[in-house]
Amino acid sequence: MKLAVIGAGSTYTPELVSGLSALEVGELALHDIADERREIVGGLARRMLDRVGYRGRLETTGELERALDGADFVLIQIRVGGQEARLRDETIPLPCGCIGQETTGAGGLAKALRTVPVVLGIADEVRRRAAPGAWIVDFTNPVGIVTRALLDHGHRAVGLCNVSITFQRHVAQLLGIEPARIEVDQVGLNHLTWVRAVRVDGEDVLGRLMADHGDALAEGAGLPRRLLEELGAVPSYYLHYFYEHDRVLAEQREGVPRAAEVAEIERELLEMYKDPSLNEKPALLERRGGAFYSEAATGIVASLSGAGDAVHVVDMRNGGTLAGLADDDVVEVPARVGPDGPVALRQAPMAPELLGLTQHVAAYERLAVRAALSGSPLDVRKALLAHPLIGQDEMAGELVERLLAGEPVR
């Protein structure tokens, strides 16, 4: 098996490499267009693999064609424009009275506009050069929008996020049990999901979990416990941008952007990665985000390769899974994954208070893909008008100008 990682200069890559021992990877290709980052991260990856006795071939390269040649799996984890672009995404919307976030709202749209064309270009090369039937696993945000673009263009792709596996591990810690016993029934769109059931050995324990550990669940969601109890579900952390918009906006206007914090963490990590004696992922990596990324990624690759089907929460076509959404919408749901791809588990209809917001954002995501492909200011404007965090004529007009101009950060 050959696995190609596109965007391997990411500081996430050691997290991924740490999980590769669970896979029979004969060849690992690490690709990045940033020479220095690629060599630094690639050097640490080599030391990590040597430490565990990896017998396959490791190649680091700046040539996309070389990385993709014969690949069975292509994991895409790029950030077009780097942390500087992220900082713009998080700060440009603030003067307009909008949340600044890299995957949600106006900032998420800005990222999609940059990212979708680049990912589709990579996917076209996968089609030309990878092994027949190769799978693309997209970890690049905004995952739902990027995955939709890939599927719209006929690529064999599935989207992956670490929100569900992180919640599973949190619950396992709260209950003091092995994560493998827990199945998380998380539904919605990428970064717009609710956990409606938590099954331990097949039994739904969400009610008991809320009663015994409601405060911890609420803290993880960044929302009041009362709201979780009213919804009868646990929203993902990204829902607090919707449910507590004004409070979050006020905090963002006064605080330090997350992008600035991440950039500093990345600088520290890259300095650590240069250390020739370092041969395992450092603890600081946990502050970067992407917890349990390696387990999520290696788990889905294992299932797609035929090493045993299993249930994973993935981004895939709706296909009738969630009533009230179009069949071609890309949803994030539990699915049984095997060599032929994901098959969504059957889902009960979403409650109106969940479905309404989901439909609203699904319409925006459809328009976001259109805008990313056309580059038309009118299409960008329509996407902004459709987003529930924006939706105002004057605000959308101002944001179109700011986003397309790529104004400097404050």
Side-chain angles (χ1 to χ4, degrees):
M1 181 197 305
K2 178 177 178 179
L3 173 66
V5 181
I6 310 303
S10 167
T11 52
Y12 279 139
T13 298
E15 174 70 32
L16 173 66
V17 170
S18 70
L20 284 178
S21 58
L23 297 174
E24 294 183 4
V25 178
E27 183 175 354
L28 174 63
L30 301 181
H31 170 272
D32 204 286
I33 60 174
D35 295 344
E36 183 179 13
R37 290 181 68 112
R38 183 182 68 245
E39 294 309 312
I40 292 172
V41 176
L44 174 57
R46 187 174 299 280
R47 295 192 298 273
M48 291 175 66
L49 292 172
D50 287 345
R51 183 174 65 86
V52 298
Y54 175 65
R55 296 183 179 180
R57 180 184 177 210
L58 172 65
E59 179 179 31
T60 60
T61 179
E63 300 175 26
L64 182 63
E65 299 84 356
R66 188 170 176 178
L68 295 178
D69 278 341
D72 301 286
F73 295 92
V74 179
L75 198 153
I76 303 177
Q77 55 173 31
I78 64 173
R79 179 181 293 281
V80 180
Q83 292 298 333
E84 290 184 5
R86 176 177 179 171
L87 187 56
R88 289 195 297 273
D89 294 344
E90 293 183 356
T91 54
I92 286 175
L94 299 180
C96 300
C98 294
I99 293 289
Q101 212 280 326
E102 65 158 341
T103 61
T104 298
L109 178 59
K111 185 169 189 180
L113 297 177
R114 290 193 309 274
T115 304
V116 165
V118 176
V119 171
L120 289 178
I122 293 169
D124 286 343
E125 285 298 316
V126 172
R127 182 176 280 151
R128 284 190 284 267
R129 298 180 178 278
W135 278 98
I136 295 173
V137 179
D138 179 66
F139 197 72
T140 297
N141 280 319
V143 168
I145 295 172
V146 172
T147 302
R148 182 183 185 111
L150 287 166
L151 295 175
D152 285 352
H153 283 75
H155 296 290
R156 203 176 195 214
V158 63
L160 183 65
C161 181
N162 69 326
V163 167
S164 176
I165 193 171
T166 300
F167 182 83
Q168 181 203 45
R169 297 309 197 265
H170 184 210
V171 169
Q173 186 178 42
L174 291 175
L175 298 180
I177 62 175
E178 289 297 314
R181 296 175 57 191
I182 299 172
E183 182 181 298
V184 177
D185 186 18
Q186 174 180 299
V187 300
L189 310 176
N190 178 245
H191 288 186
L192 193 89
T193 52
W194 296 263
V195 173
R196 300 190 297 177
V198 177
R199 299 184 182 91
V200 175
D201 302 332
E203 177 189 357
D204 185 7
V205 300
L206 181 58
R208 189 169 79 238
L209 193 63
M210 292 266 256
D212 296 344
H213 303 283
D215 290 341
L217 295 177
E219 182 181 357
L223 291 164
R225 176 172 179 169
R226 168 192 51 77
L227 180 57
L228 275 63
E229 292 171 344
E230 289 173 354
L231 294 173
V234 182
S236 79
Y237 174 79
Y238 293 88
L239 264 298
H240 88 292
Y241 295 114
F242 296 81
Y243 292 148
E244 295 197 330
H245 174 278
D246 292 353
R247 178 184 65 80
V248 174
L249 177 61
E251 290 177 353
Q252 288 187 340
R253 281 175 158 171
E254 296 297 324
V256 176
R258 171 64 176 162
E261 297 176 353
V262 169
E264 181 56 34
I265 292 170
E266 285 206 333
R267 280 191 288 271
E268 293 182 44
L269 284 170
L270 289 171
E271 282 302 312
M272 290 181 177
Y273 293 177
K274 291 177 183 178
D275 183 353
S277 67
L278 183 68
N279 61 6
E280 58 185 351
K281 62 178 183 179
L284 179 63
L285 186 54
E286 296 177 8
R287 288 177 49 205
R288 171 66 181 84
F292 308 111
Y293 165 41
S294 64
E295 294 175 55
T298 55
I300 195 168
V301 169
S303 293
L304 289 170
S305 68
D309 65 352
V311 173
H312 304 272
V313 174
V314 297
D315 289 83
M316 60 180 291
R317 290 287 196 205
N318 181 40
T321 302
L322 296 180
L325 297 179
D327 284 349
D328 67 339
D329 284 335
V330 168
V331 296
E332 190 166 289
V333 293
R336 185 161 293 281
V337 181
D340 294 327
V343 177
L345 303 187
R346 187 173 180 179
Q347 293 292 334
M350 299 176 74
E353 59 272 21
L354 311 186
L355 178 60
L357 182 54
T358 304
Q359 290 171 321
H360 203 160
V361 177
Y364 150 76
E365 292 194 346
R366 182 183 299 271
L367 292 166
V369 172
R370 182 190 299 174
L373 295 177
S374 73
S376 161
L378 178 58
D379 286 340
V380 174
R381 180 182 176 81
K382 287 180 178 179
L384 290 168
L385 285 171
H387 200 291
L389 294 182
I390 305 158
Q392 299 180 57
D393 174 58
E394 185 175 345
M395 184 181 292
E398 186 177 352
L399 281 167
V400 169
E401 293 182 10
R402 288 176 176 270
L403 296 182
L404 295 181
E407 293 184 0
V409 300
R410 58 189 168 97

